[in-house]
Amino acid sequence: MTFTLPDLPYAHDALAPLGMSAETLEFHHDLHHKAYVDNGNKLIAGTEWEGKALEDIVRGTYQAGAVAQSGIFNNASQHWNHNLFWEVMGPAGKTMPGELEKALIESFGSVEKFKEDFAAAGAAQFGSGWCWLVKDTDGALKVTKTENGVNPLCFGQTALLGCDVWEHSYYIDFRNKRPAYLANFLDKLVNWEAVAARL
């Protein structure tokens, strides 16, 4: 399967009133994400991974315990991560569906506690990486964080929500204020209906 850059599910300027500028999306989607797609396609050409599903490539090339992951993994996982990232944001879906709210309360005690844990995970991720809301293998919802392009697929988890904490995701709009970016992401950018649909 050839990697393809998806269109954003909204206009480049649709999130500007919510704290993510058109300039950020032009750089982040049109350049950064496209680079993962282009580099990934070059790296898998002629290998056993050419023609395989994206999820299979991510799971199959992840090396647990490795200091650095392979180029194929890095580009495939970042392609997958960004596909999810664009889908769980949007100008709509600001009311959290009851099913998701109930699940968060069951797992974290309250929606606010979930948000605190999620923002803390993102702020504490040293360097580049992601913070996640996942459904773990035991069915429980958990907050996790991963370095670089590593994602929940690597651990058999289902990703419900992911936030990119690489600096290119927030530097244009928030400079070096990652906690402010994370708070804005949770309060204004997340499409909770899209998150609930992943349950």
Side-chain angles (χ1 to χ4, degrees):
M1 181 177 108
T2 302
F3 299 168
T4 304
L5 181 68
D7 291 333
L8 288 171
Y10 31 76
H12 282 76
D13 61 358
L15 304 183
L18 306 175
M20 185 171 284
S21 64
E23 185 181 10
T24 287
L25 287 173
E26 286 161 2
F27 274 92
H28 197 175
H29 173 270
D30 301 359
L31 299 178
H32 286 281
H33 190 174
K34 186 176 186 300
Y36 297 130
V37 168
D38 292 345
N39 290 331
N41 283 328
K42 290 174 188 172
L43 289 167
I44 64 172
T47 73
E48 63 182 296
W49 302 109
E50 188 173 18
K52 297 286 178 65
L54 178 59
E55 290 80 3
D56 293 337
I57 298 171
V58 171
R59 293 188 191 101
T61 58
Y62 175 66
Q63 298 172 344
V67 174
Q69 298 294 325
S70 71
I72 290 177
F73 172 83
N74 287 334
N75 287 279
S77 64
Q78 282 288 71
H79 178 35
W80 189 91
N81 294 348
H82 284 83
N83 286 346
L84 179 143
F85 187 54
W86 312 134
E87 291 169 5
V88 297
M89 294 189 295
K94 301 308 165 194
T95 300
M96 186 178 290
E99 176 190 13
L100 176 59
E101 183 177 12
K102 180 182 177 184
L104 290 173
I105 291 170
E106 286 176 356
S107 295
F108 298 96
S110 69
V111 172
E112 282 310 309
K113 182 62 167 64
F114 150 68
K115 288 183 176 182
E116 288 174 15
D117 289 357
F118 188 91
Q125 173 56 43
F126 181 76
S128 302
W130 294 74
C131 53
W132 306 93
L133 170 66
V134 303
K135 182 187 286 187
D136 211 344
T137 51
D138 60 3
L141 300 191
K142 296 178 181 175
V143 165
T144 66
K145 60 186 175 73
T146 57
E147 73 276 6
N148 298 321
V150 177
N151 66 43
L153 289 178
C154 303
F155 312 106
Q157 300 164 326
T158 300
L160 306 180
L161 177 66
C163 185
D164 188 347
V165 296
W166 288 59
E167 280 194 339
H168 64 238
S169 187
Y170 59 88
Y171 208 85
I172 290 171
D173 299 316
F174 291 91
R175 295 300 185 256
N176 65 337
K177 298 178 176 67
R178 188 190 287 182
Y181 158 72
L182 286 159
N184 186 77
F185 176 79
L186 289 166
D187 292 341
K188 296 183 179 179
L189 289 170
V190 175
N191 179 339
W192 296 109
E193 292 173 6
V195 176
R198 303 182 70 86
L199 275 172

